[in-house]
Amino acid sequence: MKFLARFPAVRILTTLWIWVACVVEVCGQEPHGFFLNDFQAKQAMIPRSVPAEKPTADATVKLRVDIEDTVSRVSRYVYGHNANVYMTQMVDQQPLLDRIISLDPHVIRFPGGNLSSVFFWNAEKGQPPADAPDQLVDANGNSIPPGYWYGKNAEGWTLSVENYYKMLDLTGNSGIITINYAYARYSTADDPVAAAAHLAADWVRYDDGRTKFWEIGNESNGTWQAGFRIKTADNKDNQPEIISGALYGQHFKVFADSMRKAAAETGAEIFIGAQLLAEPPASWWNNTDKNWNNGVFQQAENAPDFYIIHSYYTPYATNSTAASVLASATGVTADLIEFVNNSQQQAGVTNKPVALTEWNIFAEGSKQQASYINGMHAAMVLGELIKNGYGLACRWDLANGWSNGNDHGIFNNGDEPGGVPRWNPRAPYYYMVYFQRYFGDLMVETDVTGSDDVRAYA
């Protein structure tokens, strides 16, 4: 019993994790690619043990850990998170910085989600580029205010580009940046793709080697996204009204070429990701979604360095049970990467690493997102990400909005009722802190018998 007492273990309800640090030889080919370029061995920090009497009853559940059977090395980037541009300037919020340091995500994505499609990184507030229209078009063809965001906005409620970089320095993390691809769609310039690619390349130049990982766009296939539909009368290069995977793949190569040339000018090495959908098309999907992946593969070919997917694991806006939330961690994580890898092989392109740059749960109605059930889910997802060979993953997100408990934020953004302090951590924070703190640099094989309710990652 003393052996188990020396290693961190968490048991809540019927789920058990035991995290074991070990050193073994790594065998086989790993799918993480360059995400392991800066792999470092971890030194185990063994906590104090407490002597205990060995149980005399027969075991009903047995766990076997085989330290000679390595599953994979652990990418330090699977512990990542998302910042966003509506969570303050961060650098003047010391409690938040202290907790990010403890969380130690290694990589923090910015500017975050859908807003990256209307974000101009080098613009002052209210001063978008001259070719950015006064109105955008929604999925139904209606004109809507553009709602642009600006990287030089210094107001306290938002996060500027400069303070994003400063926050990374203060917390010891690196970044992954999502550039504004949608600008290539709605720009009124003579060559909108060139204008948007040039803006992205200028960010790479300004970055000057601080950021290795870059995404071209965010969920660009989505009907909710700026650029999904454009006003063709204002477009100067004969783009179609509705986006397609083939169009995105064609544009991807223009962006990647401009950004790589910019990186070469500064002597930086960067890796650029392209967006894919991570599940087989359903019959009710629109044509953009049904043909997205094939179009990207056909046009982008082998230009991407990695592929980007997102998942919120549980059915959208559904009051999912605790059992269904927890069950999604294993099945969904494995299914996503299996589909993406198979899709690459079927398309005849070179297999590239996979990055899950947004993940959480959609379950709502019983405060699931802010609950310890979501914390248990987060710990299980981390184990499954490592087990299934993901190169990078960023949980959505550091702070969001309470919304009656339907809050993806790992910290209270200041609007949680009951006098809860701002930046107070939610349950998932503790699960993710302790999982990473006590998990090693190599995953080894485990086998559990006697119960389907026990999960182990060693």
Side-chain angles (χ1 to χ4, degrees), residues 210-265:
R210 288 176 285 183
T211 302
K212 290 188 293 186
F213 310 128
W214 298 77
E215 295 180 286
I216 296 184
N218 175 82
E219 299 175 3
S220 298
N221 62 287
T223 57
W224 55 89
Q225 207 70 220
F228 173 82
R229 188 171 193 157
I230 62 170
K231 188 176 180 181
T232 55
D234 293 339
N235 177 255
K236 303 291 198 306
D237 65 346
N238 299 312
Q239 291 190 39
E241 184 178 23
I242 304 295
I243 195 171
S244 68
L247 185 70
Y248 171 82
Q250 176 187 333
H251 291 169
F252 179 93
K253 290 193 288 189
V254 179
F255 276 81
D257 183 62
S258 295
M259 294 167 68
R260 285 171 179 145
K261 287 179 180 176
E265 292 172 15

Side-chain angles (χ1 to χ4, degrees), residues 151-391:
K152 290 188 176 180
N153 190 346
E155 294 178 355
W157 61 273
T158 188
L159 178 59
S160 68
V161 168
E162 267 311 296
N163 279 332
Y164 166 68
Y165 283 119
K166 186 176 180 182
M167 176 274 295
L168 294 179
D169 288 340
L170 291 172
T171 60
N173 290 290
S174 60
I176 177 170
I177 290 175
T178 308
I179 59 91
N180 183 351
Y181 162 72
Y183 179 39
R185 292 276 291 145
Y186 58 70
S187 165
T188 62
D190 290 340
D191 190 341
V193 181
H198 179 74
L199 182 66
D202 279 346
W203 196 345
V204 173
R205 292 185 184 92
Y206 179 80
D207 182 87
D208 196 20
R210 288 176 285 183
T211 302
K212 290 188 293 186
F213 310 128
W214 298 77
E215 295 180 286
I216 296 184
N218 175 82
E219 299 175 3
S220 298
N221 62 287
T223 57
W224 55 89
Q225 207 70 220
F228 173 82
R229 188 171 193 157
I230 62 170
K231 188 176 180 181
T232 55
D234 293 339
N235 177 255
K236 303 291 198 306
D237 65 346
N238 299 312
Q239 291 190 39
E241 184 178 23
I242 304 295
I243 195 171
S244 68
L247 185 70
Y248 171 82
Q250 176 187 333
H251 291 169
F252 179 93
K253 290 193 288 189
V254 179
F255 276 81
D257 183 62
S258 295
M259 294 167 68
R260 285 171 179 145
K261 287 179 180 176
E265 292 172 15
T266 64
E269 182 180 40
I270 64 171
F271 302 96
I272 305 174
Q275 306 164 50
L276 292 180
L277 299 183
E279 57 182 316
S283 60
W284 53 266
W285 284 14
N286 60 41
N287 287 333
T288 294
D289 289 343
K290 285 181 178 178
N291 300 298
W292 183 266
N293 285 9
N294 286 337
V296 174
F297 290 136
Q298 289 169 8
Q299 292 297 320
E301 299 175 302
N302 288 316
D305 294 309
F306 63 98
Y307 289 111
I308 302 154
I309 58 174
H310 292 172
S311 179
Y312 286 80
Y313 280 82
T314 60
Y316 181 73
T318 300
N319 197 353
S320 303
T321 64
S324 62
V325 170
L326 296 177
S328 73
T330 52
V332 172
T333 308
D335 290 346
L336 295 176
I337 197 165
E338 181 180 14
F339 176 75
V340 172
N341 287 337
N342 288 342
S343 297
Q344 295 181 69
Q345 293 170 6
Q346 292 166 9
V349 297
T350 304
N351 267 45
K352 303 294 178 67
V354 176
L356 180 65
T357 61
E358 285 186 27
W359 65 272
N360 207 304
I361 59 172
F362 270 147
E364 62 179 59
S366 298
K367 299 181 173 62
Q368 292 98 322
Q369 294 171 21
S371 73
Y372 77 92
I373 296 299
N374 202 12
M376 297 167 71
H377 180 268
M380 294 174 70
V381 168
L382 290 178
E384 294 297 321
L385 291 170
I386 297 166
K387 179 179 178 181
N388 286 281
Y390 286 78

Side-chain angles (χ1 to χ4, degrees), residues 31-89:
H32 315 76
F34 53 81
F35 288 113
L36 287 176
N37 283 359
D38 54 0
F39 171 83
Q40 293 179 338
K42 291 177 69 173
Q43 296 298 317
M45 296 180 294
I46 308 301
R48 288 172 296 178
S49 61
V50 177
E53 292 297 321
K54 181 179 178 180
T56 56
D58 292 336
T60 57
V61 179
K62 295 181 180 180
L63 166 65
R64 180 185 63 85
V65 178
D66 185 351
I67 65 171
E68 300 297 332
D69 188 356
T70 301
V71 175
S72 76
R73 290 187 291 171
V74 179
S75 167
R76 65 203 304 260
Y77 299 113
V78 296
Y79 301 111
H81 281 263
N82 275 266
N84 58 58
V85 287
Y86 50 88
M87 57 175 298
T88 78
Q89 295 289 350

Side-chain angles (χ1 to χ4, degrees), residues 102-162:
S102 294
L103 187 62
D104 196 20
H106 298 296
V107 62
I108 299 177
R109 183 173 177 251
F110 178 81
N114 302 335
L115 297 183
S116 62
S117 297
V118 287
F119 184 78
F120 294 100
W121 74 271
N122 59 354
E124 300 283 354
K125 179 186 177 183
Q127 298 180 26
D131 58 316
D134 294 333
Q135 296 281 309
L136 297 180
V137 179
D138 68 13
N140 297 315
N142 302 312
S143 295
I144 57 173
Y148 298 132
W149 293 66
Y150 306 96
K152 290 188 176 180
N153 190 346
E155 294 178 355
W157 61 273
T158 188
L159 178 59
S160 68
V161 168
E162 267 311 296

